[in-house]
Amino acid sequence: MKRREFCRTSLAASVAAAYPFMINAAFAQSNVAAISLDGTEIELEQAAVTELAERMEGALLMQGDMQYNSARMIWNGMWDKYPALIARCANVEDVQHSVTFAAERNLLLAVRGGGHSWPGKSVCDGGLMIDLADMHTVTVDPVKRRAYAQGGALLNGLDMASLQHGLVTTAGVVSHTGVGGFTLGGGFGRLNRKYGLAVDNLVSVQLVTADGKVRTVNAEQHPDLFWAVRGGGGNFGVATQFEYQLHPFDRNVLSGTITWPLEQAREVLNFYAGWYAGLSDDLYVGPAMMTLPEVGSVVAMEVVYAGDPAAGEKELAPLRAIGTPIEDGVKVQDYMVMQTQEDAMLAHGVRSYAKNGMAKVVTPALVNAMVESFVANPNLMFFTHTSGGAVSRVPELATAFPHRNAETMIAVAGVWTDPDMDDELIATAREWFKQLEPFTGGYYSNIDFDGANSGGKNYGPAYPRLSEIKGQYDPGNLFRLNRNILPAS
Ligand SMILES: Cc1cc2nc3c(=O)[nH]c(=O)nc-3n(C[C@H](O)[C@H](O)[C@H](O)COP(=O)(O)OP(=O)(O)OC[C@H]3O[C@@H](n4cnc5c(N)ncnc54)[C@H](O)[C@@H]3O)c2cc1C
């Protein structure tokens, strides 16, 4: 990935080297080289940078600052970008100052929640990166059954704070993912069939819009924006707080993973294809094909039964009768075992590609395409989210997430550490996707490395209204580092 150097003065650099603990952008000694929204080179006045640093409660970082390098790294190790400034916001006012600073100067702006963006949209070369990592608090009101998560909170924080009160909402499958991007794009998880997507549980959002204003966005206040942020990603502003509906939940759930040898993949996946449509909302299954260290290539099925375990055992019995599993790990256990089991394998810094398609039906021909791709190159993987249930009962355009009638999200993905494998694995994954795409009808915007502005494919029939709302609240497209929606003029 292209690397661009943005130098500060030699005096500041010497001070940074000698006293790294003392440095932040308040020490800027001269103008700072930066990149504008349209990609041209600009200079940020030293006095203005210093003023922003002084106004902020959190730190404003530049190259040479002690925390700069760790702050600019995001989850996908393929992205190696150098923002001109990183605003480590401590509160909503810091976010307002940062947004205003960028808007007034037409400065390229990135917003980082949990940093899990596959296409690296939460960091940029030469712009201002608003980093919400220090705004990660989650509080719960057990009486109202509500969780309040700051914009930089992680799913682990949301799950843990809620479960302490015997409550839960839909969170994704890797606990170091940020609530920010996850929720704004839709939010699949192991409870989505029972409780819907993350956006279906969203009650209210506190949003800093491109004009620097803080808006409370919910069904009564700014209902147009509330519609748009439930699927439209980070296009409409910086979400500084999310309020979620919670549900009573016994964290000891029938859950785990069943794995079969790869040779049984067709049998297992064809069974899934004919089975999932009749499942109860309580039962979530997620088929995958992957290669596990010391086990080899497998077809696997993640299971969570969010109800009475005895009823779950009964509903699961037909799946357990398929083929001869290598391992059946489904048992009554703490929900957080499942919610964290992939955290280490998918740790920060891995290199990764992913792309997905939303499938209305899983046909034998689709199963065949998946199995043939995987057998040819088991260095990559397929994973899925089974939708349906509560997700499909929300009308298509009730929120900006339009894939309500797709029953399964199917992703091709790869995770590796050797940069020399980048080109080959990305090319292979794209080839896999070509085989898969004819069976799908659009993309889930959150799981897509390629990052092209394929608005129609991501947002489907929601796109025209999204574009209108974008034109109203962000006519200059300040928030463009996302699955971008172009403002209607
Ligand atoms: C390992 C892994 C597991 C995943 N599992 C799931 C899953 O189970 N279900 C699922 O649905 N998705 C899943 N995803 C996809 C995930 O939802 C997206 O990658 C999501 O964008 C991550 O959000 P983030 O805040 O961590 O990312 P970031 O990189 O911080 O941001 C992603 C995008 O959202 C914007 N953004 C982030 N926070 C805010 C905010 N507070 N306000 C405004 N804009 C913001 C950013 O500007 C950027 O455009 C997974 C991704 C990874 C890498």
PDB file of all heavy atoms in Angstrom, residues 75 111-118 121-122 132 151 172-174 177-178 180-182 184 187-188 234 237-239 385 444 446 481-482, ligand 1:
ATOM      1  N   TRP A  75      -7.149  -2.943  12.228  1.00  0.00           N
ATOM      2  CA  TRP A  75      -7.138  -4.408  12.344  1.00  0.00           C
ATOM      3  C   TRP A  75      -6.449  -5.091  11.164  1.00  0.00           C
ATOM      4  O   TRP A  75      -5.613  -5.970  11.344  1.00  0.00           O
ATOM      5  CB  TRP A  75      -8.597  -4.892  12.479  1.00  0.00           C
ATOM      6  CG  TRP A  75      -8.718  -6.378  12.442  1.00  0.00           C
ATOM      7  CD1 TRP A  75      -8.503  -7.242  13.471  1.00  0.00           C
ATOM      8  CD2 TRP A  75      -9.079  -7.185  11.305  1.00  0.00           C
ATOM      9  NE1 TRP A  75      -8.700  -8.538  13.055  1.00  0.00           N
ATOM     10  CE2 TRP A  75      -9.055  -8.531  11.723  1.00  0.00           C
ATOM     11  CE3 TRP A  75      -9.422  -6.902   9.980  1.00  0.00           C
ATOM     12  CZ2 TRP A  75      -9.365  -9.585  10.871  1.00  0.00           C
ATOM     13  CZ3 TRP A  75      -9.727  -7.946   9.125  1.00  0.00           C
ATOM     14  CH2 TRP A  75      -9.697  -9.269   9.579  1.00  0.00           C
ATOM     15  N   VAL A 111     -12.814   8.251  10.090  1.00  0.00           N
ATOM     16  CA  VAL A 111     -13.373   8.051  11.434  1.00  0.00           C
ATOM     17  C   VAL A 111     -13.121   6.597  11.831  1.00  0.00           C
ATOM     18  O   VAL A 111     -13.519   5.674  11.120  1.00  0.00           O
ATOM     19  CB  VAL A 111     -14.893   8.331  11.454  1.00  0.00           C
ATOM     20  CG1 VAL A 111     -15.463   8.099  12.852  1.00  0.00           C
ATOM     21  CG2 VAL A 111     -15.180   9.745  10.968  1.00  0.00           C
ATOM     22  N   ARG A 112     -12.443   6.420  12.967  1.00  0.00           N
ATOM     23  CA  ARG A 112     -12.155   5.065  13.425  1.00  0.00           C
ATOM     24  C   ARG A 112     -12.981   4.742  14.670  1.00  0.00           C
ATOM     25  O   ARG A 112     -12.913   5.435  15.682  1.00  0.00           O
ATOM     26  CB  ARG A 112     -10.674   4.947  13.795  1.00  0.00           C
ATOM     27  CG  ARG A 112     -10.259   3.550  14.262  1.00  0.00           C
ATOM     28  CD  ARG A 112      -8.946   3.624  15.019  1.00  0.00           C
ATOM     29  NE  ARG A 112      -8.305   2.341  15.185  1.00  0.00           N
ATOM     30  CZ  ARG A 112      -8.588   1.480  16.157  1.00  0.00           C
ATOM     31  NH1 ARG A 112      -9.537   1.750  17.036  1.00  0.00           N
ATOM     32  NH2 ARG A 112      -7.923   0.338  16.257  1.00  0.00           N
ATOM     33  N   GLY A 113     -13.772   3.656  14.538  1.00  0.00           N
ATOM     34  CA  GLY A 113     -14.482   3.141  15.714  1.00  0.00           C
ATOM     35  C   GLY A 113     -13.639   2.027  16.309  1.00  0.00           C
ATOM     36  O   GLY A 113     -12.727   2.266  17.099  1.00  0.00           O
ATOM     37  N   GLY A 114     -13.914   0.782  15.881  1.00  0.00           N
ATOM     38  CA  GLY A 114     -13.123  -0.344  16.364  1.00  0.00           C
ATOM     39  C   GLY A 114     -11.977  -0.703  15.429  1.00  0.00           C
ATOM     40  O   GLY A 114     -11.165  -1.573  15.737  1.00  0.00           O
ATOM     41  N   GLY A 115     -11.912  -0.090  14.251  1.00  0.00           N
ATOM     42  CA  GLY A 115     -10.789  -0.310  13.329  1.00  0.00           C
ATOM     43  C   GLY A 115     -10.878  -1.586  12.507  1.00  0.00           C
ATOM     44  O   GLY A 115      -9.889  -2.001  11.909  1.00  0.00           O
ATOM     45  N   HIS A 116     -12.054  -2.205  12.400  1.00  0.00           N
ATOM     46  CA  HIS A 116     -12.157  -3.477  11.680  1.00  0.00           C
ATOM     47  C   HIS A 116     -12.501  -3.336  10.205  1.00  0.00           C
ATOM     48  O   HIS A 116     -12.826  -4.326   9.559  1.00  0.00           O
ATOM     49  CB  HIS A 116     -13.201  -4.379  12.355  1.00  0.00           C
ATOM     50  CG  HIS A 116     -12.622  -5.224  13.439  1.00  0.00           C
ATOM     51  ND1 HIS A 116     -13.063  -6.495  13.701  1.00  0.00           N
ATOM     52  CD2 HIS A 116     -11.625  -4.993  14.312  1.00  0.00           C
ATOM     53  CE1 HIS A 116     -12.365  -7.000  14.704  1.00  0.00           C
ATOM     54  NE2 HIS A 116     -11.490  -6.109  15.095  1.00  0.00           N
ATOM     55  N   SER A 117     -12.449  -2.137   9.691  1.00  0.00           N
ATOM     56  CA  SER A 117     -12.784  -1.944   8.280  1.00  0.00           C
ATOM     57  C   SER A 117     -11.900  -2.803   7.378  1.00  0.00           C
ATOM     58  O   SER A 117     -10.678  -2.617   7.350  1.00  0.00           O
ATOM     59  CB  SER A 117     -12.591  -0.465   7.924  1.00  0.00           C
ATOM     60  OG  SER A 117     -12.576  -0.286   6.536  1.00  0.00           O
ATOM     61  N   TRP A 118     -12.491  -3.724   6.626  1.00  0.00           N
ATOM     62  CA  TRP A 118     -11.683  -4.528   5.699  1.00  0.00           C
ATOM     63  C   TRP A 118     -10.993  -3.637   4.674  1.00  0.00           C
ATOM     64  O   TRP A 118      -9.807  -3.802   4.404  1.00  0.00           O
ATOM     65  CB  TRP A 118     -12.544  -5.607   5.020  1.00  0.00           C
ATOM     66  CG  TRP A 118     -12.252  -6.968   5.549  1.00  0.00           C
ATOM     67  CD1 TRP A 118     -11.108  -7.695   5.382  1.00  0.00           C
ATOM     68  CD2 TRP A 118     -13.132  -7.782   6.347  1.00  0.00           C
ATOM     69  NE1 TRP A 118     -11.216  -8.906   6.030  1.00  0.00           N
ATOM     70  CE2 TRP A 118     -12.446  -8.991   6.613  1.00  0.00           C
ATOM     71  CE3 TRP A 118     -14.420  -7.605   6.848  1.00  0.00           C
ATOM     72  CZ2 TRP A 118     -13.002 -10.025   7.362  1.00  0.00           C
ATOM     73  CZ3 TRP A 118     -14.973  -8.634   7.591  1.00  0.00           C
ATOM     74  CH2 TRP A 118     -14.265  -9.825   7.846  1.00  0.00           C
ATOM     75  N   LYS A 121     -10.961   1.884   5.579  1.00  0.00           N
ATOM     76  CA  LYS A 121     -11.570   3.218   5.458  1.00  0.00           C
ATOM     77  C   LYS A 121     -11.429   4.051   6.739  1.00  0.00           C
ATOM     78  O   LYS A 121     -11.726   5.245   6.724  1.00  0.00           O
ATOM     79  CB  LYS A 121     -13.061   3.087   5.129  1.00  0.00           C
ATOM     80  CG  LYS A 121     -13.340   2.409   3.802  1.00  0.00           C
ATOM     81  CD  LYS A 121     -12.988   3.295   2.642  1.00  0.00           C
ATOM     82  CE  LYS A 121     -13.391   2.657   1.332  1.00  0.00           C
ATOM     83  NZ  LYS A 121     -12.976   3.426   0.180  1.00  0.00           N
ATOM     84  N   SER A 122     -11.034   3.449   7.840  1.00  0.00           N
ATOM     85  CA  SER A 122     -10.984   4.211   9.090  1.00  0.00           C
ATOM     86  C   SER A 122      -9.632   4.871   9.326  1.00  0.00           C
ATOM     87  O   SER A 122      -9.388   5.431  10.395  1.00  0.00           O
ATOM     88  CB  SER A 122     -11.367   3.307  10.269  1.00  0.00           C
ATOM     89  OG  SER A 122     -10.815   2.011  10.123  1.00  0.00           O
ATOM     90  N   LEU A 132     -11.811   7.100  17.900  1.00  0.00           N
ATOM     91  CA  LEU A 132     -12.751   7.039  19.024  1.00  0.00           C
ATOM     92  C   LEU A 132     -12.366   5.980  20.067  1.00  0.00           C
ATOM     93  O   LEU A 132     -13.155   5.657  20.949  1.00  0.00           O
ATOM     94  CB  LEU A 132     -14.163   6.745  18.501  1.00  0.00           C
ATOM     95  CG  LEU A 132     -14.729   7.758  17.506  1.00  0.00           C
ATOM     96  CD1 LEU A 132     -16.071   7.279  16.947  1.00  0.00           C
ATOM     97  CD2 LEU A 132     -14.899   9.130  18.150  1.00  0.00           C
ATOM     98  N   GLY A 151     -19.192   5.695  20.877  1.00  0.00           N
ATOM     99  CA  GLY A 151     -18.919   5.371  19.471  1.00  0.00           C
ATOM    100  C   GLY A 151     -17.689   4.519  19.225  1.00  0.00           C
ATOM    101  O   GLY A 151     -17.565   3.897  18.182  1.00  0.00           O
ATOM    102  N   GLY A 172     -21.816  -8.996  16.926  1.00  0.00           N
ATOM    103  CA  GLY A 172     -21.156  -9.859  15.943  1.00  0.00           C
ATOM    104  C   GLY A 172     -20.307 -10.941  16.575  1.00  0.00           C
ATOM    105  O   GLY A 172     -20.243 -11.070  17.802  1.00  0.00           O
ATOM    106  N   VAL A 173     -19.622 -11.699  15.733  1.00  0.00           N
ATOM    107  CA  VAL A 173     -19.004 -12.952  16.170  1.00  0.00           C
ATOM    108  C   VAL A 173     -17.549 -12.817  16.604  1.00  0.00           C
ATOM    109  O   VAL A 173     -16.955 -13.790  17.054  1.00  0.00           O
ATOM    110  CB  VAL A 173     -19.119 -14.028  15.060  1.00  0.00           C
ATOM    111  CG1 VAL A 173     -20.563 -14.261  14.679  1.00  0.00           C
ATOM    112  CG2 VAL A 173     -18.296 -13.664  13.824  1.00  0.00           C
ATOM    113  N   VAL A 174     -16.951 -11.629  16.470  1.00  0.00           N
ATOM    114  CA  VAL A 174     -15.579 -11.420  16.960  1.00  0.00           C
ATOM    115  C   VAL A 174     -15.619 -10.233  17.907  1.00  0.00           C
ATOM    116  O   VAL A 174     -16.014  -9.135  17.515  1.00  0.00           O
ATOM    117  CB  VAL A 174     -14.601 -11.181  15.784  1.00  0.00           C
ATOM    118  CG1 VAL A 174     -13.225 -10.786  16.290  1.00  0.00           C
ATOM    119  CG2 VAL A 174     -14.504 -12.432  14.930  1.00  0.00           C
ATOM    120  N   THR A 177     -14.451  -6.380  17.457  1.00  0.00           N
ATOM    121  CA  THR A 177     -15.045  -5.518  16.421  1.00  0.00           C
ATOM    122  C   THR A 177     -15.686  -4.303  17.105  1.00  0.00           C
ATOM    123  O   THR A 177     -16.221  -4.405  18.202  1.00  0.00           O
ATOM    124  CB  THR A 177     -16.129  -6.306  15.651  1.00  0.00           C
ATOM    125  OG1 THR A 177     -15.557  -7.527  15.173  1.00  0.00           O
ATOM    126  CG2 THR A 177     -16.675  -5.520  14.482  1.00  0.00           C
ATOM    127  N   GLY A 178     -15.670  -3.156  16.426  1.00  0.00           N
ATOM    128  CA  GLY A 178     -16.259  -1.954  17.010  1.00  0.00           C
ATOM    129  C   GLY A 178     -17.772  -1.914  16.848  1.00  0.00           C
ATOM    130  O   GLY A 178     -18.291  -2.336  15.805  1.00  0.00           O
ATOM    131  N   GLY A 180     -19.294   0.728  16.308  1.00  0.00           N
ATOM    132  CA  GLY A 180     -19.559   1.820  15.374  1.00  0.00           C
ATOM    133  C   GLY A 180     -19.865   1.348  13.965  1.00  0.00           C
ATOM    134  O   GLY A 180     -21.009   1.416  13.491  1.00  0.00           O
ATOM    135  N   GLY A 181     -18.834   0.859  13.272  1.00  0.00           N
ATOM    136  CA  GLY A 181     -19.040   0.402  11.900  1.00  0.00           C
ATOM    137  C   GLY A 181     -20.012  -0.760  11.832  1.00  0.00           C
ATOM    138  O   GLY A 181     -20.852  -0.840  10.927  1.00  0.00           O
ATOM    139  N   PHE A 182     -19.900  -1.674  12.784  1.00  0.00           N
ATOM    140  CA  PHE A 182     -20.771  -2.863  12.823  1.00  0.00           C
ATOM    141  C   PHE A 182     -22.245  -2.447  12.815  1.00  0.00           C
ATOM    142  O   PHE A 182     -23.047  -2.929  12.004  1.00  0.00           O
ATOM    143  CB  PHE A 182     -20.428  -3.672  14.090  1.00  0.00           C
ATOM    144  CG  PHE A 182     -21.414  -4.742  14.451  1.00  0.00           C
ATOM    145  CD1 PHE A 182     -21.402  -5.958  13.785  1.00  0.00           C
ATOM    146  CD2 PHE A 182     -22.351  -4.545  15.465  1.00  0.00           C
ATOM    147  CE1 PHE A 182     -22.317  -6.956  14.119  1.00  0.00           C
ATOM    148  CE2 PHE A 182     -23.256  -5.525  15.801  1.00  0.00           C
ATOM    149  CZ  PHE A 182     -23.252  -6.735  15.125  1.00  0.00           C
ATOM    150  N   LEU A 184     -23.690   0.658  12.268  1.00  0.00           N
ATOM    151  CA  LEU A 184     -24.135   1.569  11.211  1.00  0.00           C
ATOM    152  C   LEU A 184     -24.348   0.847   9.874  1.00  0.00           C
ATOM    153  O   LEU A 184     -25.152   1.272   9.054  1.00  0.00           O
ATOM    154  CB  LEU A 184     -23.116   2.708  11.039  1.00  0.00           C
ATOM    155  CG  LEU A 184     -22.985   3.638  12.256  1.00  0.00           C
ATOM    156  CD1 LEU A 184     -21.735   4.508  12.140  1.00  0.00           C
ATOM    157  CD2 LEU A 184     -24.232   4.518  12.414  1.00  0.00           C
ATOM    158  N   GLY A 187     -25.238  -5.122  11.013  1.00  0.00           N
ATOM    159  CA  GLY A 187     -24.908  -5.864  12.221  1.00  0.00           C
ATOM    160  C   GLY A 187     -25.530  -7.239  12.343  1.00  0.00           C
ATOM    161  O   GLY A 187     -26.540  -7.425  13.029  1.00  0.00           O
ATOM    162  N   PHE A 188     -24.909  -8.247  11.675  1.00  0.00           N
ATOM    163  CA  PHE A 188     -25.314  -9.645  11.854  1.00  0.00           C
ATOM    164  C   PHE A 188     -24.638 -10.214  13.092  1.00  0.00           C
ATOM    165  O   PHE A 188     -23.510  -9.857  13.409  1.00  0.00           O
ATOM    166  CB  PHE A 188     -24.837 -10.506  10.663  1.00  0.00           C
ATOM    167  CG  PHE A 188     -25.633 -10.316   9.408  1.00  0.00           C
ATOM    168  CD1 PHE A 188     -25.128  -9.589   8.349  1.00  0.00           C
ATOM    169  CD2 PHE A 188     -26.887 -10.893   9.285  1.00  0.00           C
ATOM    170  CE1 PHE A 188     -25.844  -9.432   7.177  1.00  0.00           C
ATOM    171  CE2 PHE A 188     -27.618 -10.745   8.109  1.00  0.00           C
ATOM    172  CZ  PHE A 188     -27.100 -10.015   7.059  1.00  0.00           C
ATOM    173  N   GLY A 234     -21.144   5.015   7.906  1.00  0.00           N
ATOM    174  CA  GLY A 234     -20.668   6.262   8.516  1.00  0.00           C
ATOM    175  C   GLY A 234     -20.861   7.483   7.633  1.00  0.00           C
ATOM    176  O   GLY A 234     -20.209   8.507   7.837  1.00  0.00           O
ATOM    177  N   GLY A 237     -22.269  11.137   9.618  1.00  0.00           N
ATOM    178  CA  GLY A 237     -21.651  11.831  10.734  1.00  0.00           C
ATOM    179  C   GLY A 237     -20.912  10.865  11.632  1.00  0.00           C
ATOM    180  O   GLY A 237     -20.814   9.668  11.338  1.00  0.00           O
ATOM    181  N   VAL A 238     -20.407  11.415  12.730  1.00  0.00           N
ATOM    182  CA  VAL A 238     -19.702  10.572  13.700  1.00  0.00           C
ATOM    183  C   VAL A 238     -20.696  10.199  14.796  1.00  0.00           C
ATOM    184  O   VAL A 238     -21.240  11.077  15.482  1.00  0.00           O
ATOM    185  CB  VAL A 238     -18.511  11.315  14.328  1.00  0.00           C
ATOM    186  CG1 VAL A 238     -17.742  10.378  15.261  1.00  0.00           C
ATOM    187  CG2 VAL A 238     -17.588  11.879  13.252  1.00  0.00           C
ATOM    188  N   ALA A 239     -20.945   8.904  14.954  1.00  0.00           N
ATOM    189  CA  ALA A 239     -21.852   8.441  16.008  1.00  0.00           C
ATOM    190  C   ALA A 239     -21.057   8.380  17.307  1.00  0.00           C
ATOM    191  O   ALA A 239     -20.097   7.614  17.417  1.00  0.00           O
ATOM    192  CB  ALA A 239     -22.407   7.067  15.654  1.00  0.00           C
ATOM    193  N   HIS A 385     -23.528 -15.906   7.501  1.00  0.00           N
ATOM    194  CA  HIS A 385     -24.480 -15.567   8.570  1.00  0.00           C
ATOM    195  C   HIS A 385     -25.850 -15.996   8.080  1.00  0.00           C
ATOM    196  O   HIS A 385     -26.291 -15.533   7.016  1.00  0.00           O
ATOM    197  CB  HIS A 385     -24.507 -14.069   8.846  1.00  0.00           C
ATOM    198  CG  HIS A 385     -23.413 -13.609   9.755  1.00  0.00           C
ATOM    199  ND1 HIS A 385     -23.367 -13.919  11.085  1.00  0.00           N
ATOM    200  CD2 HIS A 385     -22.323 -12.869   9.513  1.00  0.00           C
ATOM    201  CE1 HIS A 385     -22.307 -13.390  11.630  1.00  0.00           C
ATOM    202  NE2 HIS A 385     -21.641 -12.733  10.693  1.00  0.00           N
ATOM    203  N   TYR A 444     -23.513  -7.110   1.420  1.00  0.00           N
ATOM    204  CA  TYR A 444     -23.603  -6.507   2.763  1.00  0.00           C
ATOM    205  C   TYR A 444     -22.394  -5.574   2.892  1.00  0.00           C
ATOM    206  O   TYR A 444     -21.251  -6.027   2.842  1.00  0.00           O
ATOM    207  CB  TYR A 444     -23.577  -7.628   3.813  1.00  0.00           C
ATOM    208  CG  TYR A 444     -23.418  -7.153   5.239  1.00  0.00           C
ATOM    209  CD1 TYR A 444     -24.111  -6.038   5.720  1.00  0.00           C
ATOM    210  CD2 TYR A 444     -22.583  -7.829   6.130  1.00  0.00           C
ATOM    211  CE1 TYR A 444     -23.970  -5.611   7.023  1.00  0.00           C
ATOM    212  CE2 TYR A 444     -22.440  -7.417   7.442  1.00  0.00           C
ATOM    213  CZ  TYR A 444     -23.133  -6.300   7.878  1.00  0.00           C
ATOM    214  OH  TYR A 444     -22.990  -5.874   9.182  1.00  0.00           O
ATOM    215  N   ASN A 446     -20.695  -4.084   5.033  1.00  0.00           N
ATOM    216  CA  ASN A 446     -19.673  -4.165   6.078  1.00  0.00           C
ATOM    217  C   ASN A 446     -18.586  -5.194   5.798  1.00  0.00           C
ATOM    218  O   ASN A 446     -17.533  -5.147   6.426  1.00  0.00           O
ATOM    219  CB  ASN A 446     -20.328  -4.527   7.422  1.00  0.00           C
ATOM    220  CG  ASN A 446     -20.638  -3.293   8.250  1.00  0.00           C
ATOM    221  OD1 ASN A 446     -20.231  -2.202   7.911  1.00  0.00           O
ATOM    222  ND2 ASN A 446     -21.348  -3.481   9.332  1.00  0.00           N
ATOM    223  N   LEU A 481     -15.067   8.418   3.582  1.00  0.00           N
ATOM    224  CA  LEU A 481     -14.272   7.196   3.727  1.00  0.00           C
ATOM    225  C   LEU A 481     -15.140   6.136   4.404  1.00  0.00           C
ATOM    226  O   LEU A 481     -15.094   5.905   5.614  1.00  0.00           O
ATOM    227  CB  LEU A 481     -12.982   7.483   4.497  1.00  0.00           C
ATOM    228  CG  LEU A 481     -11.993   8.352   3.716  1.00  0.00           C
ATOM    229  CD1 LEU A 481     -10.715   8.575   4.496  1.00  0.00           C
ATOM    230  CD2 LEU A 481     -11.677   7.750   2.346  1.00  0.00           C
ATOM    231  N   ASN A 482     -15.950   5.522   3.578  1.00  0.00           N
ATOM    232  CA  ASN A 482     -16.918   4.503   3.994  1.00  0.00           C
ATOM    233  C   ASN A 482     -17.459   3.911   2.699  1.00  0.00           C
ATOM    234  O   ASN A 482     -16.969   4.227   1.619  1.00  0.00           O
ATOM    235  CB  ASN A 482     -18.040   5.152   4.833  1.00  0.00           C
ATOM    236  CG  ASN A 482     -18.483   6.474   4.239  1.00  0.00           C
ATOM    237  OD1 ASN A 482     -18.754   6.562   3.046  1.00  0.00           O
ATOM    238  ND2 ASN A 482     -18.523   7.518   5.052  1.00  0.00           N
TER     239      ASN A 482
HETATM  240  C1  LIG B   1     -12.764 -10.048  12.357  1.00  0.00           C
HETATM  241  C2  LIG B   1     -14.056  -9.431  11.912  1.00  0.00           C
HETATM  242  C3  LIG B   1     -15.260  -9.991  12.307  1.00  0.00           C
HETATM  243  C4  LIG B   1     -16.474  -9.437  11.891  1.00  0.00           C
HETATM  244  N1  LIG B   1     -17.661 -10.020  12.279  1.00  0.00           N
HETATM  245  C5  LIG B   1     -18.825  -9.473  11.887  1.00  0.00           C
HETATM  246  C6  LIG B   1     -20.079 -10.018  12.301  1.00  0.00           C
HETATM  247  O1  LIG B   1     -20.140 -11.001  13.029  1.00  0.00           O
HETATM  248  N2  LIG B   1     -21.214  -9.413  11.868  1.00  0.00           N
HETATM  249  C7  LIG B   1     -21.185  -8.328  11.062  1.00  0.00           C
HETATM  250  O2  LIG B   1     -22.251  -7.825  10.715  1.00  0.00           O
HETATM  251  N3  LIG B   1     -20.024  -7.773  10.663  1.00  0.00           N
HETATM  252  C8  LIG B   1     -18.856  -8.326  11.056  1.00  0.00           C
HETATM  253  N4  LIG B   1     -17.672  -7.775  10.635  1.00  0.00           N
HETATM  254  C9  LIG B   1     -17.692  -6.608   9.759  1.00  0.00           C
HETATM  255  C10 LIG B   1     -17.777  -5.359  10.610  1.00  0.00           C
HETATM  256  O3  LIG B   1     -19.119  -5.142  10.964  1.00  0.00           O
HETATM  257  C11 LIG B   1     -17.235  -4.152   9.825  1.00  0.00           C
HETATM  258  O4  LIG B   1     -15.881  -4.381   9.521  1.00  0.00           O
HETATM  259  C12 LIG B   1     -17.407  -2.867  10.601  1.00  0.00           C
HETATM  260  O5  LIG B   1     -17.274  -1.786   9.730  1.00  0.00           O
HETATM  261  C13 LIG B   1     -16.411  -2.757  11.725  1.00  0.00           C
HETATM  262  O6  LIG B   1     -16.669  -1.636  12.505  1.00  0.00           O
HETATM  263  P1  LIG B   1     -15.469  -0.938  13.311  1.00  0.00           P
HETATM  264  O7  LIG B   1     -16.026   0.200  14.037  1.00  0.00           O
HETATM  265  O8  LIG B   1     -14.708  -1.976  14.046  1.00  0.00           O
HETATM  266  O9  LIG B   1     -14.542  -0.520  12.108  1.00  0.00           O
HETATM  267  P2  LIG B   1     -13.808   0.838  11.687  1.00  0.00           P
HETATM  268  O10 LIG B   1     -12.679   0.389  10.837  1.00  0.00           O
HETATM  269  O11 LIG B   1     -13.486   1.678  12.839  1.00  0.00           O
HETATM  270  O12 LIG B   1     -14.903   1.553  10.814  1.00  0.00           O
HETATM  271  C14 LIG B   1     -15.524   0.964   9.711  1.00  0.00           C
HETATM  272  C15 LIG B   1     -16.328   2.035   8.986  1.00  0.00           C
HETATM  273  O13 LIG B   1     -17.327   2.552   9.876  1.00  0.00           O
HETATM  274  C16 LIG B   1     -17.090   3.939  10.148  1.00  0.00           C
HETATM  275  N5  LIG B   1     -17.290   4.148  11.589  1.00  0.00           N
HETATM  276  C17 LIG B   1     -16.828   3.377  12.608  1.00  0.00           C
HETATM  277  N6  LIG B   1     -17.261   3.859  13.785  1.00  0.00           N
HETATM  278  C18 LIG B   1     -17.983   4.960  13.498  1.00  0.00           C
HETATM  279  C19 LIG B   1     -18.689   5.887  14.296  1.00  0.00           C
HETATM  280  N7  LIG B   1     -18.729   5.767  15.633  1.00  0.00           N
HETATM  281  N8  LIG B   1     -19.342   6.907  13.677  1.00  0.00           N
HETATM  282  C20 LIG B   1     -19.316   7.024  12.325  1.00  0.00           C
HETATM  283  N9  LIG B   1     -18.661   6.171  11.527  1.00  0.00           N
HETATM  284  C21 LIG B   1     -18.005   5.145  12.112  1.00  0.00           C
HETATM  285  C22 LIG B   1     -15.657   4.201   9.712  1.00  0.00           C
HETATM  286  O14 LIG B   1     -15.463   5.522   9.328  1.00  0.00           O
HETATM  287  C23 LIG B   1     -15.492   3.236   8.552  1.00  0.00           C
HETATM  288  O15 LIG B   1     -16.045   3.770   7.392  1.00  0.00           O
HETATM  289  C24 LIG B   1     -16.455  -8.297  11.065  1.00  0.00           C
HETATM  290  C25 LIG B   1     -15.252  -7.723  10.679  1.00  0.00           C
HETATM  291  C26 LIG B   1     -14.062  -8.296  11.083  1.00  0.00           C
HETATM  292  C27 LIG B   1     -12.765  -7.693  10.618  1.00  0.00           C
END
